[in-house]
Amino acid sequence: EAVAARLVTRIVDSQSARGLAHISLTGGTDGIKVLAVLNAAPSRDSIDWSTVHVWWGDDRYVASEDPDRNEKQAREALLDHVPLDPEHVHPMPSSDSGLTADEAAAVYAEELRRHSRPEDHAQVPSFDVTLLGMGPDAHINSLFPQLPAVHETQRWVVGVHGSPKPPPVRITLTFPAVQASREVWIIGDGEAKAPAFRLALSDAGQVAVPAAGARGRERTLVLIDE
């Protein structure tokens, strides 16, 4: 509820300042729960949804109707219940798109580039908020410790092969895309996540502890329970 309330405020502030808002969503239990709570909140209707652009930090490379898709879960939790412009919802391609995961990553990178502006100083929009969950291994999006994607410094989106968490094939934004965000919010609860959060707030490198690289240009928020 606290994260959902903050998200409403941040979106409204961004719309007031720039006339639109770009939000990068995360999957997982906490990320989808935030969307469901926002859908049920009266403050939901204070947002001008027609000027909100919705993106994803990562998605599983499965069929579009697979229940494991972050996109499908987000639509069911919130997106199908608010008056978003369909042109402003930017899902990552699914495995039934006819593309390989690497081709799909390139297509998504081009979509991001088309919506970037000179003031973004990047080939992605400056997300007003990038929402991130975190795994017990301190992974964010589908950036897992020691996999090739954590070493990427040039591309904004890549395919991930051999994910230690099923399914093995995914698409993810890279650190350059995450770090171009105005704000990055890392959310999580439960004692099991405490060691990962401790590492994320340490001086550990982002290759071994990907969450340590989750930093926004203007602000980074860590939103956790006691």
Side-chain angles (χ1 to χ4, degrees), residues 99-120:
L99 303 169
T100 67
D102 295 328
E103 290 168 342
V107 166
Y108 204 64
E110 176 60 22
E111 178 81 353
L112 287 160
R113 188 199 62 77
R114 288 196 309 107
H115 287 274
S116 66
R117 298 167 296 177
E119 58 265 34
D120 293 325

Side-chain angles (χ1 to χ4, degrees), residues 168-205:
V169 182
R170 296 154 175 256
I171 302 172
T172 187
L173 300 189
T174 59
F175 285 122
V178 171
Q179 293 163 358
S181 307
R182 288 188 169 88
E183 297 194 6
V184 169
W185 299 5
I186 311 174
I187 60 176
D189 66 353
E191 187 177 355
K193 296 286 182 74
F197 274 102
R198 189 175 298 112
L199 286 171
L201 295 171
S202 72
D203 293 328

Side-chain angles (χ1 to χ4, degrees), residues 11-170:
I11 291 172
V12 170
D13 287 349
S14 298
Q15 290 172 326
S16 297
R18 287 177 288 279
L20 77 169
H22 285 274
I23 307 298
S24 177
L25 300 182
T26 188
T29 303
D30 294 323
I32 299 303
K33 212 186 311 187
V34 168
L35 300 184
V37 169
L38 175 53
N39 183 47
S43 59
R44 182 193 81 171
D45 297 327
S46 64
I47 295 172
D48 177 2
W49 290 99
S50 69
T51 63
V52 176
H53 284 258
V54 177
W55 304 84
W56 274 265
D58 75 325
D59 214 333
R60 297 152 175 131
Y61 203 57
V62 292
S64 55
E65 290 303 310
D66 191 302
D68 278 345
R69 282 276 292 179
N70 290 340
E71 177 203 354
K72 181 175 175 61
Q73 294 175 20
R75 288 185 181 278
E76 291 172 350
L78 172 67
L79 305 185
D80 286 347
H81 307 284
V82 293
L84 285 159
D85 182 338
E87 295 292 314
H88 294 175
V89 180
H90 309 277
M92 291 180 164
S94 56
S95 64
D96 47 5
S97 63
L99 303 169
T100 67
D102 295 328
E103 290 168 342
V107 166
Y108 204 64
E110 176 60 22
E111 178 81 353
L112 287 160
R113 188 199 62 77
R114 288 196 309 107
H115 287 274
S116 66
R117 298 167 296 177
E119 58 265 34
D120 293 325
H121 303 293
Q123 293 186 34
V124 295
S126 292
F127 301 120
D128 295 288
V129 175
T130 287
L131 282 173
L132 295 171
M134 183 173 57
D137 60 354
H139 83 266
I140 54 166
N141 288 338
S142 285
L143 296 170
F144 294 93
Q146 307 297 344
L147 287 193
V150 297
H151 297 278
E152 183 61 55
T153 59
Q154 302 299 317
R155 291 178 294 173
W156 305 93
V157 191
V158 295
V160 174
H161 304 272
S163 161
K165 184 178 179 183
V169 182
R170 296 154 175 256

